[in-house]
Amino acid sequence: MAGKDSGNLKTVRLWRDAALRARKLRSNLRQLTLSAAGADPIDSPDAPQLVLPANIGDIEVLNLGNNGLEEVPDGLGSALGSLRVLVLRRNRFARLPPAVAELGHHLTELDVSHNRLTALGAEVVSALRELRKLNLSHNQLPALPAQLGALAHLEELDVSFNRLAHLPDSLSCLYRLRTLDVDHNQLTAFPRQLLQLAALEELDVSSNRLRGLPEDISALRALKILWLSGAELGTLPSGFCELASLESLMLDNNGLQALPAQFSRLQRLKMLNLSSNLFEEFPAALLPLAGLEELYLSRNQLTSVPSLISGLSRLLTLWLDNNRIRYLPDSIVELTGLEELVLQGNQIAVLPDNFGQLSRVGLWKIKDNPLIQPPYEVCMKGIPYIAAYQKELAHSQPAVQPRLKLLLMGHKAAGKTLLRHCLTEERVEGNQGGGDKEKSYPPSPPPVSKGIEVTSWTADASRGLRFIVYDLAGDESYEVIQPFFLSPGALYVLVVNLATYEPPGFPTTVGSFLHRVGARVPHAVVCIVGTHADLCGERELEEKCLDIHRQIALQEKHDAEGLSRLAQVVDEALARDFELRSASPHAAYYGVSDKNLRRRKAHFQYLLNHRLQILSPVLPVSCRDPRQLQRLRDKLLSVAEHREIFPNLHRVLPRSWQVLEELHFQPPQAQRLWLSWWDSARLGLQAGLTEDRLQSALSYLHESGKLLYFEDSPALKEHVFHNLTRLIDILNVFFQRDPSLLLHKLLLGTSGEGEGEGESSPVVALPNPSQDVLRATQLHHYVEGFLLHGLLPAHVIRLLLKPHVQAQQDLQLLLELLEKMGLCYCLNKPKGKPLNGSTAWYKFPCYVQNEVPHAEAWINGTNLAGQSFVAEQLQIEYSFPFTFPPGLFARYSVQINSHVVHRSDGKLQIFAYRGKVPVVVSYRPAKGVLHPDTLSIASHASLPNIWTAWQAITPLVEELNVLLQEWPGLHYTVHILCSKCLKRGSPNPHAFPGAEK
């Protein structure tokens, strides 16, 4: 069961037990919870001393858990004459304390889980004759005593996560036993003793090497819940189908290829988990199970789903992810009660008509499918958007738009801009008859990069195939905005200057770009193009191309092996039980649950299965050679037209959506920076779209990168930013980092500026030369402040953006948009309040040059490195071993602004307050392979109030997690650093596992 390997039923059982305990607490039973005095149970080897209060004879529930106890006081049994429930979990007992035997005549519940038990003691067990519930899980028991069979009243027994190789024969005498849990032990066969337990209703024998089940398992006729996960089962006996009372069955993580034909007799079955098996065909025996509500078939080898699945009319949950399914039957839309539908990781290109009938689906996963109808962007938005698409398709004719996004990436001076001009300007003529040669042209001056530029290139007019070419500037200053343009379904061309390429420079000119694309768009298609081939000798050209190819292979091998090693460490941790992992803070994955470990393993597997698709060999090109350019064009066309690589090239759209897009880019609206919602609505009416159908069309155009429409933003949802070319020109203004160019733009912006234009400005155009000099000095001061500290007032931003921004509303909307993108924030605008006429100042964090903030020490006695603290420190550290997302720290700096006050920013650190609690955010770039990039979030408080530190940093952690979701191919780890190590100023503080991707 993908993501639910423990299953809903186990959760239900846990809640049931919790509810049972809660009912006890609400009853008239008198209860007592005691904490031991003495040493810290984790930090000290000395056993704490338990001090019992006087007059405890009438206590009925006693909780001594989490105390690090190795023994209990003598006379405990005689002192607790009314005790019925005793909790000793999470202590250090190696055997059951003898005092427990004194309670045997009235004790009904005993919990000794999460201890160090290696034996129970026959006499103690024999004395517990009234026991109804016994929990011995998470210990080190190699065997159970025969006396356990004498506990005639026992109803629930949990011996999971021990070292049991067999069960005692006497266990068959527990005729009242209803629940038995023996998962995660060392059983090598199904215990036949269990077949005598006629009252057994719930049984868990998961994670044992059973390798088979007995034919007479049918004797367990009362069984309602059965867990057989990871039991190495290859087949099920026919007798299994006689378990007519079964309601929930977990068979995931086995080797099943088929189910017995009589499986359909299990008519009471409501939940079935068959994930992670070897089914190649959908099991036909499931189709008559009309009462089935949950079905999990994730991670099998299914290629199709039968149309008769519609007979499972009560189905609420259907997981079919990570199979090989190519299509869904039309009848699946009849499962109108579905609430969870998971289809990701298949080969589905087209969804059935009327898919919107599945309106109750809340959990919907469809990524990693070659969807063309509806398009991927529509499907990712959810069922309501699919319904709107299909409804629109029924209203208007379908239209196919063969159009593909092509991104040119590479280091500065790689030749991207020249290559774009040569590719998109058709200069190769004739030779279609085979006799004429291509015309050669005199060299023209190389074009100068203006930053990020977008060009439309009709590569094949006969088929209407068009590339939207994005030339991504190679200068480092653009790194913060480049990720916005990296999207699924695009063809990536990595451009390398072969004339200047040297093997030691591979990591910066090639390797880092591949890591970046792989982290942002797993499984992306990348073509390596070497430019300036005419400047290299023939042998030199061959050697450089081979070196790039070789180093790419080595980097991919290194990364894959690293991920495999990490996955192996997780496997080794899973092989040890939770108690062993929690025995020492220095153990691998200390304290991490099995569920989270399996989630990490699944992510490692995802990363291994979604490596970049790097086309080989390296294609050398000279822009002076028309034949080489034509060869590159042909290569790009052949890749783009490959249906398995780029199914989105053949996406089907409603004609009305296509017309709406075209109308947005026609005069007069094409020249405007933005349109209001009502402007777009009028265009929608021209395209045949009523207002209620416009939302889905705009949402698709936004997701597919045609325009920007933020339906979730109160400040921006009434506007549509359709002129992406002008928006990119505006972004280029901010990220060129050329002081002379910025000053020139400002001086041009001030010429002709009058008093009646927009807001008042301290910069006024003056007639005489001396005041012109003063004006230039002022503007130069603003430019310096911008390039050093990232600071600009709103009126200077307006000058910079002329003629793009004409009205004050244009400026305000643009600044809201930049803030939404995480590029800047307003320094002096009160939350939710207007500025009341004062000048607004904006901060662009990517421009901050000072390494640390200009601020006093974080607290008294603290250095700016944040290594030693008087109070208790809480620090969460994110570690990025492969690559750190470019621009992440700057964007994160913007995203947290609404959560903090009194902030002071540096290039690598931010000091701020959450209310009255100080917080510091730090980025530490990698120092070699052994020291990865890290980003940490820290706060502190006195130990009794450490929860205030947690409250302070939690919203900041959540904001970072949201940003990291934009990088699905990124591997990172999260740790809580040991506060005592930090206090000591340790250069390598111990790291406790948090979460990991």
Side-chain angles (χ1 to χ4, degrees):
M1 177 165 123
K4 289 190 176 182
D5 291 323
S6 297
N8 291 340
L9 261 292
K10 203 155 209 175
T11 303
V12 170
R13 185 177 65 182
L14 293 174
W15 279 109
R16 182 199 65 194
D17 291 346
L20 178 63
R21 288 193 292 272
R23 283 198 297 274
K24 290 181 181 297
L25 299 184
R26 289 195 296 269
S27 70
N28 293 325
L29 293 180
R30 295 204 53 187
Q31 54 183 316
L32 178 64
T33 299
L34 292 180
S35 296
D40 187 322
I42 293 179
D43 292 337
S44 171
D46 299 326
Q49 298 298 313
L50 183 69
V51 180
L52 292 173
N55 302 321
I56 61 170
D58 54 349
I59 294 297
E60 295 178 298
V61 178
L62 178 60
N63 186 349
L64 299 177
N66 293 285
N67 280 301
L69 300 175
E70 295 179 359
E71 57 184 18
V72 294
D74 293 333
L76 179 69
S78 58
L80 295 168
S82 302
L83 194 68
R84 294 171 61 183
V85 179
L86 177 60
V87 178
L88 298 174
R89 68 193 313 267
R90 295 194 182 280
N91 283 292
R92 299 177 182 172
F93 296 113
R95 299 176 64 88
L96 282 179
V100 173
E102 302 173 17
L103 304 169
H105 63 286
H106 46 75
L107 197 65
T108 60
E109 293 187 23
L110 175 61
D111 185 350
V112 205
S113 62
H114 297 275
N115 275 279
R116 302 174 182 176
L117 299 179
T118 56
L120 297 180
E123 293 183 1
V124 178
V125 172
S126 300
L128 301 174
R129 53 188 179 274
E130 297 298 323
L131 211 59
R132 287 175 170 77
K133 182 176 179 180
L134 176 60
N135 190 343
L136 299 169
S137 66
H138 294 88
N139 279 287
Q140 302 167 30
L141 296 170
L144 297 176
Q147 289 76 9
L148 199 64
L151 305 183
H153 297 285
L154 199 63
E155 297 177 1
E156 297 184 29
L157 174 61
D158 188 347
V159 291
S160 60
F161 291 91
N162 277 285
R163 301 173 183 176
L164 304 175
H166 57 84
L167 299 179
D169 293 339
S170 61
L171 208 66
S172 60
C173 301
L174 299 177
Y175 299 120
R176 297 187 182 181
L177 198 66
R178 293 184 295 103
T179 299
L180 175 61
D181 192 343
V182 291
D183 73 295
H184 280 86
N185 275 284
Q186 298 173 15
L187 303 178
T188 55
F190 188 89
R192 296 198 59 82
Q193 304 91 318
L194 306 186
L195 300 178
Q196 308 298 317
L197 304 178
L200 201 62
E201 296 180 358
E202 181 175 350
L203 173 63
D204 190 346
V205 284
S206 300
S207 299
N208 286 283
R209 307 183 72 176
L210 304 185
R211 295 194 175 91
L213 298 173
E215 182 68 35
D216 50 352
I217 193 174
S218 56
L220 300 175
R221 296 187 180 276
L223 209 58
K224 295 180 179 178
I225 302 172
L226 178 57
W227 297 75
L228 291 165
S229 306
E232 300 187 11
L233 302 177
T235 59
L236 297 178
S238 57
F240 188 90
C241 305
E242 303 299 325
L243 299 175
S245 298
L246 268 186
E247 297 178 1
S248 296
L249 175 59
M250 275 54 68
L251 285 165
D252 53 298
N253 289 283
N254 282 290
L256 299 174
Q257 297 179 343
L259 297 178
Q262 303 90 340
F263 196 86
S264 56
R265 295 180 183 177
L266 304 178
Q267 285 295 311
R268 294 189 183 179
L269 207 58
K270 294 181 179 179
M271 193 275 247
L272 176 61
N273 187 351
L274 293 170
S275 297
S276 299
N277 278 284
L278 302 175
F279 291 100
E280 295 182 0
E281 296 182 0
F282 192 97
L286 302 182
L287 299 174
L289 300 177
L292 204 59
E293 296 177 358
E294 299 179 48
L295 176 58
Y296 303 91
L297 275 161
S298 308
R299 299 182 299 278
N300 278 281
Q301 300 169 25
L302 305 179
T303 56
S304 63
V305 179
S307 59
L308 291 177
I309 195 172
S310 58
L312 302 178
S313 57
R314 295 185 184 178
L315 211 56
L316 303 175
T317 299
L318 179 59
W319 288 50
L320 297 168
D321 57 289
N322 295 290
N323 281 282
R324 302 170 183 174
I325 299 169
R326 290 186 172 273
Y327 66 92
L328 298 173
D330 293 340
S331 60
I332 199 170
V333 303
E334 298 174 27
L335 299 176
T336 53
L338 274 180
E339 296 175 357
E340 296 184 16
L341 181 56
V342 178
L343 300 169
Q344 69 186 39
N346 281 288
Q347 299 171 26
I348 301 168
V350 178
L351 295 181
D353 292 338
N354 301 314
F355 205 77
Q357 289 180 198
L358 303 177
S359 57
R360 296 183 61 184
V361 171
L363 179 61
W364 162 249
K365 296 184 179 181
I366 191 64
K367 70 176 184 178
D368 298 328
N369 278 283
L371 293 156
I372 61 174
Q373 187 176 345
Y376 181 83
E377 296 85 354
V378 174
C379 292
M380 290 300 290
K381 293 287 287 183
I383 301 294
Y385 290 85
I386 294 172
Y389 165 88
Q390 292 184 331
K391 181 180 178 181
E392 193 58 43
L393 206 58
H395 274 84
S396 61
Q397 295 180 347
V400 179
Q401 285 186 313
R403 180 170 55 188
L404 190 66
K405 186 175 181 180
L406 187 148
L407 293 101
L408 297 174
M409 303 181 66
H411 209 258
K412 187 176 181 181
K416 299 182 295 297
T417 303
L418 178 59
L419 182 63
R420 172 172 60 86
H421 276 266
C422 293
L423 275 178
T424 58
E425 295 176 5
E426 188 64 53
R427 303 182 65 178
V428 180
E429 293 182 358
N431 205 27
Q432 309 214 349
D436 297 331
K437 293 183 178 179
E438 297 92 339
K439 286 188 178 182
S440 60
Y441 295 84
S444 55
V448 178
S449 174
K450 301 176 183 177
I452 296 175
E453 297 182 74
V454 185
T455 307
S456 179
W457 168 34
T458 302
D460 190 329
S462 62
R463 285 171 287 181
L465 177 55
R466 193 153 54 102
F467 286 100
I468 310 300
V469 184
Y470 286 75
D471 178 358
L472 301 186
D475 194 283
E476 289 183 2
S477 60
Y478 288 89
E479 285 190 343
V480 70
I481 57 173
Q482 280 182 351
F484 290 109
F485 301 96
L486 309 184
S487 59
L491 173 57
Y492 294 83
V493 176
L494 178 53
V495 182
V496 184
N497 186 340
L498 292 176
T500 60
Y501 173 79
E502 296 293 339
F506 173 86
T508 56
T509 56
V510 180
S512 61
F513 287 97
L514 295 178
H515 275 149
R516 188 176 308 172
V517 174
R520 184 77 175 191
V521 188
H523 216 48
V525 180
V526 183
C527 179
I528 313 292
V529 175
T531 58
H532 302 90
D534 55 311
L535 301 181
C536 302
E538 185 175 342
R539 182 169 181 178
E540 177 190 5
L541 190 66
E542 181 181 358
E543 288 178 350
K544 289 186 174 181
C545 289
L546 286 174
D547 180 79
I548 293 173
H549 182 74
R550 181 184 63 83
Q551 292 210 53
I552 289 175
L554 288 175
Q555 176 172 291
E556 283 295 296
K557 181 182 177 183
H558 174 267
D559 292 351
E561 289 176 348
L563 290 170
S564 297
R565 283 194 298 271
L566 292 170
Q568 184 178 356
V569 173
V570 174
D571 283 336
E572 292 169 356
L574 280 168
R576 297 188 297 273
D577 63 42
F578 179 80
E579 186 64 26
L580 287 176
R581 289 201 303 274
S582 303
S584 167
H586 301 284
Y589 292 109
Y590 169 74
V592 179
S593 69
D594 282 5
K595 181 179 179 180
N596 283 335
L597 282 177
R598 283 192 290 267
R599 187 179 298 155
R600 296 177 191 190
K601 174 68 181 296
H603 185 68
F604 288 139
Q605 201 60 53
Y606 173 83
L607 296 180
L608 285 168
N609 293 340
H610 290 79
R611 307 303 300 160
L612 288 176
Q613 302 177 77
I614 303 173
L615 307 179
S616 60
V618 178
L619 204 61
V621 171
S622 168
C623 288
R624 297 176 181 272
D625 189 334
R627 289 171 298 183
Q628 291 184 0
L629 286 171
Q630 188 59 42
R631 185 180 62 172
L632 177 57
R633 290 191 187 97
D634 293 341
K635 176 73 171 179
L636 297 176
L637 277 172
S638 67
V639 173
E641 291 179 329
H642 199 296
R643 280 184 175 266
E644 291 188 6
I645 298 179
F646 289 111
N648 56 315
L649 184 67
H650 307 278
R651 70 184 72 190
V652 179
L653 291 178
R655 176 66 182 165
S656 55
W657 289 16
Q658 183 179 346
V659 172
L660 177 68
E661 178 187 346
E662 293 169 354
L663 288 173
H664 274 82
F665 303 114
Q666 290 179 3
Q669 54 269 7
Q671 282 71 45
R672 296 172 59 184
L673 179 60
W674 54 269
L675 298 176
S676 70
W677 162 267
W678 295 109
D679 291 334
S680 283
R682 282 191 287 271
L683 296 178
L685 289 174
Q686 294 180 44
L689 286 165
T690 55
E691 185 182 331
D692 60 316
R693 291 151 52 203
L694 177 65
Q695 184 94 2
S696 297
L698 288 177
S699 177
Y700 163 74
L701 293 174
H702 171 85
E703 294 294 334
S704 57
K706 309 301 188 308
L707 49 74
L708 296 180
Y709 171 58
F710 298 98
E711 55 188 308
D712 60 339
S713 169
L716 299 172
K717 66 180 180 180
E718 296 299 326
H719 302 87
V720 177
F721 296 89
H722 65 299
N723 198 330
L724 293 187
T725 303
R726 283 185 65 187
L727 283 176
I728 290 173
D729 289 342
I730 288 170
L731 292 176
N732 286 333
V733 170
F734 288 113
F735 294 99
Q736 283 180 330
R737 297 197 185 218
D738 186 330
S740 59
L741 185 59
L742 288 171
L743 186 59
H744 177 67
K745 285 182 177 291
L746 287 176
L747 290 170
L748 285 179
T750 56
S751 61
E753 176 152 303
E755 295 180 359
E757 252 187 79
E759 68 177 32
S760 60
S761 167
V763 181
V764 180
L766 300 174
N768 62 66
S770 61
Q771 292 185 340
D772 285 346
V773 172
L774 179 61
R775 178 185 63 184
T777 303
Q778 270 187 310
L779 294 177
H780 186 266
H781 174 73
Y782 284 129
V783 170
E784 273 192 339
F786 181 49
L787 295 179
L788 284 175
H789 308 296
L791 288 172
L792 276 180
H795 66 271
V796 175
I797 294 176
R798 183 172 176 182
L799 294 177
L800 268 179
L801 298 182
K802 279 190 171 183
H804 299 293
V805 172
Q806 299 295 334
Q808 181 63 24
Q809 187 182 17
D810 287 347
L811 178 64
Q812 196 57 45
L813 277 175
L814 182 62
L815 291 172
E816 292 280 2
L817 178 61
L818 293 178
E819 194 161 353
K820 174 75 175 176
M821 295 173 71
L823 301 179
C824 69
Y825 62 88
C826 185
L827 276 176
N828 57 335
K829 181 180 179 182
K831 292 180 176 64
K833 298 179 182 178
L835 281 167
N836 296 323
S838 59
T839 300
W841 281 81
Y842 285 83
K843 181 101 170 181
F844 292 76
C846 58
Y847 273 95
V848 177
Q849 296 301 310
N850 49 299
E851 294 287 321
V852 295
H854 296 301
E856 298 178 357
W858 192 30
I859 61 171
N860 294 333
T862 305
N863 58 38
L864 286 177
Q867 289 296 325
S868 59
F869 295 95
V870 174
E872 194 74 10
Q873 185 187 0
L874 173 64
Q875 182 166 330
I876 311 295
E877 182 178 87
Y878 288 69
S879 178
F880 302 85
F882 292 106
T883 187
F884 185 79
L888 177 67
F889 186 72
R891 286 190 64 206
Y892 182 53
S893 175
V894 175
Q895 297 302 113
I896 67 173
N897 188 58
S898 61
H899 298 287
V900 299
V901 294
H902 309 309
R903 63 183 291 169
S904 178
D905 289 31
K907 186 177 182 179
L908 303 177
Q909 280 188 322
I910 303 167
F911 291 161
Y913 281 83
R914 284 264 302 145
K916 296 182 180 180
V917 182
V919 292
V920 61
V921 178
S922 304
Y923 168 56
R924 186 168 65 245
K927 295 180 179 178
V929 179
L930 299 178
H931 300 280
D933 296 83
T934 60
L935 195 158
S936 62
I937 309 164
S939 183
H940 69 86
S942 59
L943 192 56
N945 297 316
I946 193 64
W947 63 272
T948 61
W950 274 110
Q951 284 185 320
I953 69 171
T954 296
L956 309 188
V957 170
E958 290 172 350
E959 289 287 0
L960 182 55
N961 290 339
V962 169
L963 284 177
L964 290 173
Q965 287 175 10
E966 299 176 3
W967 300 82
L970 181 68
H971 168 59
Y972 60 91
T973 59
V974 188
H975 291 88
I976 302 172
L977 298 189
C978 173
S979 60
K980 294 183 179 180
C981 292
L982 293 171
K983 274 186 177 181
R984 291 194 297 265
S986 170
N988 296 301
H990 183 74
F992 295 88
E996 178 178 324
K997 274 202 83 177

